Every structure is written in C-alpha cells, then in structure tokens.
Amino acid sequence: VDGLLEIKVRAQAGNRDLDDLLQRVDNQAGNPSKFEAQANRLIQYFLPFVVITSFLCFTYWLFAGSWVEAVFNSMAVLLVACPCALGLATPIAIWQGLLRLAKMGILSRDGALIDALATTRLVYFDKTGTLSDVTMQVTNLHVVKEWEDRHESLRAMIYALESKLSHPIARAITNFLPKSDLLIKNFKIIPGLGVSGTIANKYIEVGELRLNPNLVKDDILAKIEVGKGKSIYVFIDKQLAAIFTLKEQLRYGFSRLIRGFKNLNIELEVLTGDPNPEIELPVFVRSGLSAQQKESHIRSAIKNGLCPIFVGDGINDAPAMTACMASISMGSGTALTRSIASAQLVNDQISVLPEAIHFTRALHRRLRSNLIYAASYNVLGMSLAFFGILHPIVAAIIMGLSSFIVTIRAACFNWNYNPD
C-alpha cells in the first residue's frame, strides 16, 4: 500500500509454478469413489454374464427337459438377476454421503473424499489460518513506570494511531483498547516496522523493536517475558512507553478435534512455514517448511500407507494438497486453494472432521455389506432359477424386493457419534 514492489520475471508462461498448480486443479476435479469405479467395472461384466448364463440355462433345459421349461427357466435367470446394488445403490449411497457431509459443513462433489476420510490414519494441518484463527489477541500490556499515572491518555493515543490500519495486529490492539477520536498529525506507515504520528504534540511510534532497538533495556524485556508471544512496542518522544504481547488463538473446537482423532486412532501433525511458531500445540509440529517440503512429507506418508489428508488455507499449501488422497480447504482460504481442494470447510469448523471420518467409515461398512448381500443374492437366485426352482413371476418379485432393500440400505442408515 505504501511502498514499491519490484518484480523480476524468472519463467515464461507455461513454465511457472502457478501453471503447474492450475494444471493440478484440472486433474483433481470430480474423482469418483472407488466403490463407484468398482461398480461401473463390475456392471460391464455382470450384464454379459447374466445373458450368457441365461443362454446356457436355455440350452441345458432344451435338451434336459422341454422347450417350455427352457424358456421359463432362462427367463427366470434374467428376471432374478439384480445389478441394483452396483448401478443404483452405490451411487445413491455416495451422493447421500456427500449430502450429509455438506450438512456437517464439509462441501464437496468428489466421491473420492469419502474413501479418503474413511481410510486415513494421518491428517496434516497447516497452522496459521487453519488451526489458529486469522486474528490475534492481546494477552498483556506492560506500561513503563513513567506512564502509569497517564494510563488512559496513553491508551487513547495508541488507539487513535492503530485505528488507521487494517493489519491483523492493529485490529487486535484496537479491540483491546477503548475507543478514542484524538486528532493525528503527520501519520506515517513505516514499511515492515510500524506506524508513527503526532498526537497532542507528542511523537508516538508503534511497531517492532527495530523502530528504536537501543531504547529498550534488557531488564524491561525480562519483565514482559519476551519470546512467549508477539511483542509490539510503543515509543513516545523516543522513549519506551509500553509493550503489547499478542498471541495467536487456536480455532474454536480444537480440543474437540484432538479428542475425536484420539478416539478414532488417527494421528495429527502440523506442517507450517512459520520458523518459530509462537502458539503452543499439543501435537507434533514441523516448522519452517517450504511448499515443496510439505509435499515431500505427504508423499512419504503415502508410501507408508497412512492415506494422509491435508487441511490448509494458503497458496503454499497447494502442492501438498494435490499430493494427498484428498485435501480440505478452509472456507476462508485463498481461491486457488479452494479450487484445488477436494472439499471446503464452509464455516472453518475443524471440529466436524472426526464426526465426518466416523460417518464415512460407517458408510464404507454399509457399502461393503451391500455388495456382499448383492453377490450372495445373485449367486443364490440365479442358481435356483437355473435349476428350475424359481418361477419367472416369483423371480421378478424377488428381484424387485432385492432392489428395494439395497436402495433403502444405501439411502437410510443410522449411525451414532460420540465425540467423548
């Protein structure tokens, strides 16, 4: 906003990192669930198999019995065969699953997301903007002795200066202080360091220690425990007046997320580019990572069979997201990240992930049981029809009943989730 930006072109269009990311977006779109893919493959073989079996049945009974028996029994084979668990119930279950995930706050059109959630054993998170909130919070304000009796005046001047900015640190400070409408003269943004201005004939600066590094004594730093948060310094007429300590905040529901993952026996790790994370996390944190290093960790986890999922919000998370089985973007994330991700957390509620994983595991069990039921039904039904035990009308009734059962099992099933 207040400075110059110099850009040096190092690659032509088509060879840029951005071009690679956009290509990955195209490759990621609309992957079907493995159950849908399996069902489509099986149907290709199932229908010819039924026709051939019916023809063999007709041939057998034409010689072993009469042509009437041949026609009736071969017709019964055709009528009793039921591909509905493959061609109808499986897609219904997948889309019903995506609908329920959407109601939880996880929006996706990717059936492969259900497989990834059901099979994952490791979930990676970015830190800033994902596990931590995009806003910061003032945890302490240390006022030097000379300004203790002018506390209210000091706060009013700081608010007036910081209220001119939209930076997250400035917003955190103004949220902490009472409002003020003092007149500011010579307002100036100091790029990368802070702001300055004149209020009531006093020159005030708010920002990094590098504004006036020689004005802060070691004993003052020891009192405020520098290093346990982000420190913002206030100087008035080139003298230290106050020091703010700010910290990142964990998103609401983080403790529930940890508890839910533990109950589901799922590991949680943090991959962050922040070299010195100030926020304390009760999980394993890999810090100071580049986008390529994040991707490398993902590929290593895939080789170890952990089926990792990545949850992030920034452009630097994109390579890791495309390397995963599935990825989830925060709803407040960048447009590119939301495009690449398999799903979006619409309201940024990370606490719904354990419930989503529990649900998809139950859905997978239902899909498997449907396929086992369908296979058993078709083998038994076609065998009975082949040997003349089923009348065509009975076969048709049984087939309709079977279709109804697998469809109801796919669309309606109860599951219970207890986060504790």
Side-chain angles (χ1 to χ4, degrees), residues 15 47 114 220 260 267 297 302 313 315 331 358-359 389 418:
N15 298 321
L47 295 179
I114 291 177
I220 296 293
E267 296 182 38
H297 283 293
I302 292 174
D313 71 313
I315 292 177
H358 186 274
F359 164 70
I389 300 175
N418 183 3

Side-chain angles (χ1 to χ4, degrees), residues 134-153:
V134 292
T135 60
M136 301 185 75
Q137 182 178 30
V138 175
T139 57
N140 184 50
L141 172 58
H142 174 80
V143 179
V144 299
K145 186 176 181 180
E146 291 77 9
W147 280 91
E148 286 182 350
D149 58 342
R150 293 175 287 175
H151 206 280
E152 292 184 3
S153 176

Side-chain angles (χ1 to χ4, degrees), residues 338-392:
R338 297 197 305 270
S339 298
I340 288 177
S342 308
Q344 291 182 37
L345 276 173
V346 179
N347 298 315
D348 292 349
Q349 294 181 355
I350 56 176
S351 59
V352 305
L353 290 174
E355 181 180 2
I357 290 173
H358 186 274
F359 164 70
T360 54
R361 287 181 179 181
L363 180 58
H364 259 216
R365 290 193 294 270
R366 179 55 59 95
L367 286 169
R368 289 193 190 96
S369 66
N370 261 358
L371 293 177
I372 292 173
Y373 165 81
S376 302
Y377 162 82
N378 280 290
V379 169
L380 179 61
M382 291 175 67
S383 297
L384 293 176
F386 190 98
F387 292 107
I389 300 175
L390 284 182
H391 190 276

Side-chain angles (χ1 to χ4, degrees), residues 45-59:
Y45 298 102
F46 181 79
L47 295 179
F49 172 76
V50 172
V51 173
I52 293 173
T53 303
S54 178
F55 176 77
L56 292 176
C57 177
F58 178 84
T59 305

Side-chain angles (χ1 to χ4, degrees), residues 12-288:
Q12 295 180 349
N15 298 321
R16 303 166 299 177
D17 291 341
L18 180 60
D19 296 314
D20 179 56
L21 292 177
L22 293 175
Q23 182 60 44
R24 296 188 190 199
V25 173
D26 294 335
N27 295 338
Q28 286 288 108
N31 295 322
S33 163
K34 69 176 183 180
F35 282 99
E36 288 181 282
Q38 289 175 356
N40 290 335
R41 288 195 300 269
L42 288 173
I43 285 178
Q44 293 178 359
Y45 298 102
F46 181 79
L47 295 179
F49 172 76
V50 172
V51 173
I52 293 173
T53 303
S54 178
F55 176 77
L56 292 176
C57 177
F58 178 84
T59 305
Y60 170 79
W61 283 103
L62 193 60
F63 291 98
S66 65
W67 70 271
V68 174
E69 290 175 308
V71 170
F72 270 64
N73 292 338
S74 62
M75 186 182 298
V77 170
L78 288 174
L79 292 173
V80 79
C82 182
C84 291
L86 303 175
L88 181 62
T90 299
I92 286 177
I94 296 299
W95 286 104
Q96 181 73 7
L98 291 175
L99 176 61
R100 293 197 184 189
L101 289 177
K103 291 180 178 179
M104 294 179 196
I106 303 176
L107 188 63
S108 176
R109 59 186 178 89
D110 195 341
L113 173 69
I114 291 177
D115 302 329
L117 289 172
T119 58
T120 187
R121 293 296 178 269
L122 173 61
V123 180
Y124 286 111
F125 283 85
D126 176 46
K127 180 181 70 70
T128 307
T130 303
L131 284 184
S132 65
D133 207 338
V134 292
T135 60
M136 301 185 75
Q137 182 178 30
V138 175
T139 57
N140 184 50
L141 172 58
H142 174 80
V143 179
V144 299
K145 186 176 181 180
E146 291 77 9
W147 280 91
E148 286 182 350
D149 58 342
R150 293 175 287 175
H151 206 280
E152 292 184 3
S153 176
L154 175 64
R155 286 171 172 249
M157 287 191 290
I158 297 172
Y159 180 91
L161 194 65
E162 291 293 290
S163 63
K164 301 295 183 181
L165 302 174
S166 59
H167 191 280
I169 290 178
R171 288 199 299 268
I173 291 175
T174 53
N175 289 336
F176 179 76
L177 298 174
K179 292 184 178 181
S180 168
D181 57 356
L182 296 179
L183 180 64
I184 304 173
K185 297 180 181 180
N186 304 318
F187 177 80
K188 181 182 178 181
I189 296 175
I190 307 171
L193 295 179
V195 293
S196 66
T198 301
I199 302 177
N201 295 322
K202 293 187 178 296
Y203 180 64
I204 179 171
E205 299 167 284
V206 181
E208 300 284 345
L209 178 60
R210 289 175 293 164
L211 282 170
N212 296 291
N214 299 323
L215 298 181
V216 183
K217 298 179 181 179
D218 292 340
D219 59 333
I220 296 293
L221 298 180
K223 286 182 181 180
I224 64 170
E225 298 180 320
V226 171
K228 293 190 176 181
K230 175 73 174 176
S231 296
I232 298 296
Y233 300 83
V234 180
F235 301 96
I236 297 182
D237 291 334
K238 292 299 179 179
Q239 296 294 323
L240 180 66
I243 304 176
F244 287 92
T245 302
L246 300 91
K247 285 188 178 181
E248 291 180 290
Q249 303 178 79
L250 286 172
R251 284 194 180 275
Y252 176 78
F254 176 76
S255 58
R256 183 180 180 186
L257 173 75
I258 295 294
R259 188 167 61 251
F261 276 4
K262 184 177 180 180
N263 293 338
L264 293 169
N265 197 26
I266 292 177
E267 296 182 38
L268 187 157
E269 290 189 16
V270 177
L271 304 180
T272 176
D274 190 344
N276 298 300
E278 295 170 350
I279 194 168
E280 296 182 1
L281 294 168
V283 296
F284 186 70
V285 179
R286 301 180 190 271
S287 58

